[in-house]
Amino acid sequence: MRKGNRSTRGSRISGAPTSLWIQVSSLVFLSIFALALAFIAYVSVHSGTHKALPVVSGNQAGMNASVQDRVAAGANPGANPGANPGARPGGATGATANNGPVQKILTHVDGSVVVRASTGSCQVPGVVEFSGDSGRSWIPSETATASGPTRILGILAENRSQVLMVALDADCQPRLYSTVNLGGTWTGPSPAEATWYLDPSDPELINTPLGPQTPGCESTSVSAAGARALALCSDGSLELSPDSGASWTRLTQPSATLAVGLSDTGFILAQPGGETCAGLSLTTLDATGDVVDTGCAAINGATTSLDAANLALSRTGDSILIWSDNRLTTSLDGGTSWF
């Protein structure tokens, strides 16, 4: 009995260090594992790839993560009906001057964020989409129609925290809507009397900050930045106002303009390419009134004709986007190359 008791005590004593060693080893392993997880989290956050922490400038307070974060991060590559990165240049030399209201709107918010809209009608609401990667992918603003807008008349992009939309309401009356989070939520409607837009009931009238004005032609679109505005007439001519619509001047060049968009130096214009340009000939009308040749844009996959009413373009810095039909043609070097 004593030998057995001594043997039992001896085994317990000899097993104690083994048990202690296992416990210490477990603690060390758990500590190393925890440090590894912390390091991975740190690298993920500071590399800017963490989905909950996109790198976004501007006011972030109260922004809708499901839209704002995805736009800022350039997410949702599958919702991209306009991009065509693999196409090769084609011709659009048969394009003719505009003869009806535009059906597409495209404008830069900044160097990477872009907003576009299919205008729709009073019976079928238009669609607004935002891109956070210069047009490579698009996220529809599903809340845009919640406030009641139908046909979209214009998009006024001040910055990421202030994008305005002029649209008809359910009674087909022009109203103003706004978003501070890139389409996450919208407020409105509010009065649109002091806002630029083409009067859909009378194409010879343009609403301006001074009220309805007559540019001197039947217009298909109006593009405005501050007090300066450029009206595109149905015959492809242009009317320029430098004073909020108080006066208008017919421009002698360029002629046969198909579309007008905003640029950070004024306006960017598209005309038929002709014999020397298998696509669209682009020019810029700067703040001084000078017309500057911006090069030739090859329209990917275009046929010999181009529906000018379904053509929109925009420029900021060296980024130029052209939206024609369901194709988006892009230049990131000021028009030198296109994809």
Side-chain angles (χ1 to χ4, degrees):
M1 292 293 293
R2 289 178 182 174
K3 290 183 179 180
N5 288 341
R6 283 196 294 268
S7 175
T8 302
R9 287 195 300 269
S11 64
R12 290 176 182 172
I13 293 172
S14 63
T18 302
S19 176
L20 180 61
W21 172 249
I22 293 174
Q23 295 178 15
V24 171
S25 299
S26 299
L27 289 174
V28 171
F29 175 80
L30 290 174
S31 298
I32 294 174
F33 184 73
L35 288 173
L37 289 178
F39 177 76
I40 292 172
Y42 176 85
V43 171
S44 175
V45 169
H46 286 270
S47 66
T49 59
H50 196 284
K51 289 184 179 180
L53 295 171
V55 180
V56 185
S57 62
N59 180 16
Q60 299 296 309
M63 290 187 174
N64 184 302
S66 64
V67 175
Q68 172 69 29
D69 293 355
R70 291 161 63 202
V71 169
N76 197 23
N80 192 14
N84 190 13
R88 292 292 179 264
T93 56
T96 57
N98 223 327
N99 59 4
V102 296
Q103 300 176 29
K104 296 186 183 301
I105 299 170
L106 177 70
T107 186
H108 281 84
V109 178
D110 55 29
S112 58
V113 177
V114 190
V115 57
R116 71 181 183 182
S118 298
T119 58
S121 67
C122 196
Q123 293 73 35
V124 181
V127 177
V128 183
E129 297 175 293
F130 287 84
S131 171
D133 52 15
S134 298
R136 292 180 179 86
S137 62
W138 296 88
I139 299 173
S141 175
E142 297 176 354
T143 62
T145 57
S147 299
T150 56
R151 178 179 172 183
I152 300 170
L153 304 180
I155 300 289
L156 310 173
E158 301 290 338
N159 50 57
R160 293 192 183 199
S161 299
Q162 186 67 34
V163 177
L164 306 177
M165 174 175 65
V166 184
L168 301 182
D169 62 11
D171 296 324
C172 296
Q173 297 300 312
R175 295 289 185 266
L176 187 65
Y177 304 83
S178 64
T179 177
V180 299
N181 50 25
L182 300 181
T185 57
W186 294 82
T187 58
S190 58
E193 282 80 1
T195 309
W196 289 100
Y197 64 85
L198 180 65
D199 189 339
S201 64
D202 188 347
E204 293 187 358
L205 287 179
I206 291 177
N207 199 77
T208 76
L210 303 178
Q213 303 292 329
T214 304
C217 71
E218 182 175 304
S219 304
T220 61
S221 73
V222 59
S223 301
R228 288 182 89 228
L230 195 61
L232 175 59
C233 303
S234 59
D235 62 357
S237 60
L238 298 165
E239 293 277 349
L240 175 67
S241 175
D243 49 15
S244 298
S247 63
W248 296 85
T249 301
R250 176 67 60 95
L251 300 183
T252 57
Q253 61 169 332
S255 59
T257 299
L258 299 170
V260 176
L262 292 176
S263 76
D264 44 10
T265 60
F267 304 95
I268 184 168
L269 319 173
Q271 294 89 30
E275 296 180 358
T276 61
C277 172
L280 291 174
S281 177
L282 302 182
T283 53
T284 299
L285 180 65
D286 63 23
T288 64
D290 292 334
V291 178
V292 181
D293 183 10
T294 311
C296 175
I299 301 300
N300 298 342
T303 60
T304 56
S305 63
L306 186 66
D307 182 6
N310 277 293
L311 177 65
L313 71 166
S314 178
R315 176 175 186 169
T316 184
D318 288 335
S319 174
I320 305 175
L321 300 181
I322 301 175
W323 187 19
S324 58
D325 296 324
N326 288 322
R327 297 176 297 273
L328 192 72
T329 305
T330 304
S331 175
L332 299 178
D333 53 16
T336 301
S337 61
W338 297 86
F339 61 90

